[in-house]
Amino acid sequence: MAESEVDLAALYAAHHLSMVRLARLLVDDLASAEDVVQDAFLGLHRRQHQLRDPGAALGYIRQAVVNQSRSALRRRRTVRAHLRVAEPDIGPAADAELMLSEEHREVLQAVNRLPERQREVLILRFWSGLSETEIAETMGVSNGTVKSQASRAMKTLQQYLQEGRS
């Protein structure tokens, strides 16, 4: 393998699970999350010769997962809007509530109510453990935007959680 190529097998082995976790938090279902991650790795495979720095492959994958998650959510909203009458609502698995503590459930429900960008910032920061700079690169925004979105998200999250306890 040439030095300019990415070792996709090693990258996949090392980061697949963390990328699925990230996507799962963004798209809210495991099957879609796995599809998102698979598409991201496939995209890297197709474009790896275009990467200037093979060391940036993880950042590319992370950014692709976030972007693919956004696309999946847009497609889901469109499909649901058109099929709402044709199909009944399908709820979560019967044991989903048992898998999380009450407090964890409340926090996840509140995070899911946040605007998309704010939710992404919090997920990338607190669940994926990225720095502000890494989040900015992943989302294609400035560090200042990351800071302001995180601040707004935390304020809104606090309000949502206080509402739920009143």
Side-chain angles (χ1 to χ4, degrees), residues 66-85:
V66 170
N67 290 338
Q68 295 267 357
S69 295
R70 288 178 187 157
S71 295
L73 289 173
R74 277 192 299 272
R75 283 190 302 274
R76 183 184 295 167
R77 281 191 297 265
T78 302
V79 167
R80 285 182 180 165
H82 289 90
L83 296 180
R84 198 175 309 264
V85 176

Side-chain angles (χ1 to χ4, degrees), residues 4-136:
S4 64
E5 289 185 23
V6 176
D7 185 352
L8 284 172
L11 186 68
Y12 186 87
H15 299 287
H16 174 261
L17 187 57
S18 65
M19 291 299 115
V20 170
R21 286 183 187 134
L22 170 61
R24 168 66 174 84
L25 289 166
L26 294 170
V27 298
D28 202 27
D29 81 271
L30 184 58
S32 295
E34 289 172 340
D35 288 345
V36 160
V37 171
Q38 196 65 31
D39 289 345
F41 275 98
L42 183 58
L44 176 59
H45 172 71
R46 290 180 180 149
R47 294 176 191 87
Q48 67 179 318
H49 64 279
Q50 295 174 348
L51 275 181
R52 286 177 242 188
D53 176 13
L58 178 58
Y60 174 91
I61 288 292
R62 189 180 297 119
Q63 187 171 18
V65 167
V66 170
N67 290 338
Q68 295 267 357
S69 295
R70 288 178 187 157
S71 295
L73 289 173
R74 277 192 299 272
R75 283 190 302 274
R76 183 184 295 167
R77 281 191 297 265
T78 302
V79 167
R80 285 182 180 165
H82 289 90
L83 296 180
R84 198 175 309 264
V85 176
E87 295 183 14
D89 285 337
I90 299 172
D95 64 349
E97 294 291 314
L98 299 174
M99 303 303 283
L100 298 173
S101 70
E102 180 65 27
E103 185 175 283
H104 194 158
R105 244 189 327 269
E106 287 176 14
V107 170
L108 284 177
Q109 288 171 349
V111 167
N112 285 331
R113 289 175 58 193
L114 292 171
E116 182 176 303
R117 291 286 172 129
Q118 291 178 14
R119 185 177 66 247
E120 289 172 358
V121 167
L122 289 189
I123 289 170
L124 291 169
R125 179 70 186 111
F126 295 107
W127 276 274
S128 294
L130 301 183
S131 69
E132 288 175 354
T133 301
E134 291 170 321
I135 295 168

